[in-house]
Amino acid sequence: MRETLPVRSESFSPVSASARIRRIIAVCALGAVMLTGCAEHGDAGPSAAPTENATEPAPQAAAPLTGMPADLEVLGRPSLAAKIGNDVEARPQRGLDRADLVFEELVEGGLTRYVAFWQSQIPEELGPLRSIRPMDPDIISPFGGIVAYSGGQQIFLDQMENTPVKNFIHGQPNADPFMYRSKDKPAPHNVILRAEKLIKDQQGLSAPPTQFEHAETAEGASALQGGTPVATIHATFSASRQQSWAWDANQGVFLRSQQGKPDPDTDGKTRSATNVIALRVNIDNRYQGVPKTVLIGSGTGHVATGGQVIPVTWSKTEATAPITLTTEAGEPILLAPGNAWVELVPLISGAEVRLE
C-alpha cells in the first residue's frame, strides 16, 4: 500500500566536506587561474614545447567511504542512503552491488533490513525502498547528504527528518520525480528510486566525511597485519536470518549467503565484500514490538579482511558521530580499500557471531 504522508517543510544542514577534499579542489582551482593568467599575458614568442605535466591525469584522493582512488567528481558529491528491504519477496535487490557501505539491522519478527550508502558509484536505479526504523537516524546522520525511504510510523519519520540529512519519502511531492512502483515485484516490495537522477539534482549538498579508516593498500589492513585466518563469519540475527560470509581466495572477497544459500545480485553473481564488520549491539524495546539497535555507546565485534579476522572494540559518542573501531590495544582499525558490510548482530537469545 502506498504510504502517503503530509508535506512538511524540510530543514537540514549538510555535513561539511573533509579538509582533504577542500584542499584538492582549491589546488585545482588555483591551477586553473594560473593557466588562464598565462594565456592572457603570455608573450608573442613561439609556443613552449609540451611538457609531461600537460598529460598528467586529474588529481585523485581516496573516496571517503571506500578508501579507493577517486576523482574530483566523486570526492565532491553527496552520499545517498536508502532503506532497502530484505524480505524474500524483495530479492534480488537492485543496486546493492555498487554500494560503498551496507548496514544490516534487526527489525520486527526476527527479519532484517539494510541501510545502504552510495557515493563512489551511483546506480541508475536502486531498491526496493522500505520504511524507516528508530535506529536509522543514528546510522545515517554522520554521512549528511540524502536519505530515501518509503515511509514509516510518524514518530520515526520525525526522528529521521530531525537530522542533518535531506529526506526523500515516497508519496511526498519532492520525491515523486525520483520514485516509482515497478511491476516485477508485488507491493510493498516494489518502490524503486531513480538514484542517478536524484544525485544529479542534488549536487549542491556536501560530500560525506570519512566514516571508517582505510589503509592505503589491502596489505596494510589491520586484519592482515594482526589478525588470524578465518574461513567463514556467521552472523545470526534469528532463526530466520542466518547470514554468513565465506572467504574466496580466488576472488579476494568474502561471499555472502542467507539461510545457507548464496545471496545473488540481479546479475546472478553472489554478493561480495572486501571488508566484513560484525558488531554486537544491544536492543531497545521501547517502541512496542519495533526493536531499536542501540548505537550510542560501545561494544565488541570483529573485522574481517583478506581471509583474516581481528577482534575490535566499537564506540559511537552521539548520533552525528561515526562509529569508531579500535583494536583491543586501542589502536585504530584500518580496513582494506573497497566496500564493506556491517552486521549489527543483536545481543539477544538465538543471535550470535561465530567464526570458523
Side-chain angles (χ1 to χ4, degrees), residues 8-64:
R8 293 187 296 280
S9 61
E10 298 172 347
S11 62
F12 72 101
S13 55
V15 179
S16 298
S18 68
R20 176 174 58 187
I21 295 172
R22 291 197 300 268
R23 285 198 298 270
I24 293 170
I25 294 173
V27 168
C28 291
L30 178 60
V33 170
M34 293 175 66
L35 288 173
T36 301
C38 292
E40 291 177 353
H41 303 290
D43 58 37
S47 301
T51 66
E52 292 183 3
N53 290 337
T55 59
E56 287 184 356
Q60 287 194 328

Side-chain angles (χ1 to χ4, degrees), residues 83-85 90 92-96 118 125-129 191-193:
K83 191 63 181 288
I84 304 294
Q93 300 91 337
R94 301 188 194 184
L96 282 182
W118 292 261
E125 295 183 340
L126 60 85
L129 301 182
V191 178
I192 302 301
L193 176 69

Side-chain angles (χ1 to χ4, degrees), residues 248-263:
D248 186 307
N250 292 328
Q251 298 185 57
V253 293
F254 290 94
L255 299 178
R256 177 176 169 84
S257 295
Q258 298 201 72
Q259 290 73 59
K261 298 179 180 179
D263 186 14

Side-chain angles (χ1 to χ4, degrees), residues 15 103 117 134-144 160 163-165 209-212 279-281 292-300 313-326 342 344:
V15 179
F103 290 76
F117 294 85
M135 53 280 197
D136 296 335
D138 291 342
I139 296 174
I140 299 168
S141 290
F143 295 78
M160 191 66 247
T163 66
V165 184
T210 297
Q211 298 297 306
F212 300 115
L279 307 180
R280 302 309 306 272
V281 294
K292 177 185 178 180
T293 298
V294 178
L295 288 175
I296 310 300
S298 60
T300 60
T313 297
W314 68 267
S315 63
K316 181 177 169 69
T317 57
E318 60 184 357
T320 55
I323 295 172
T324 299
L325 302 175
T326 59
V342 184
L344 299 173

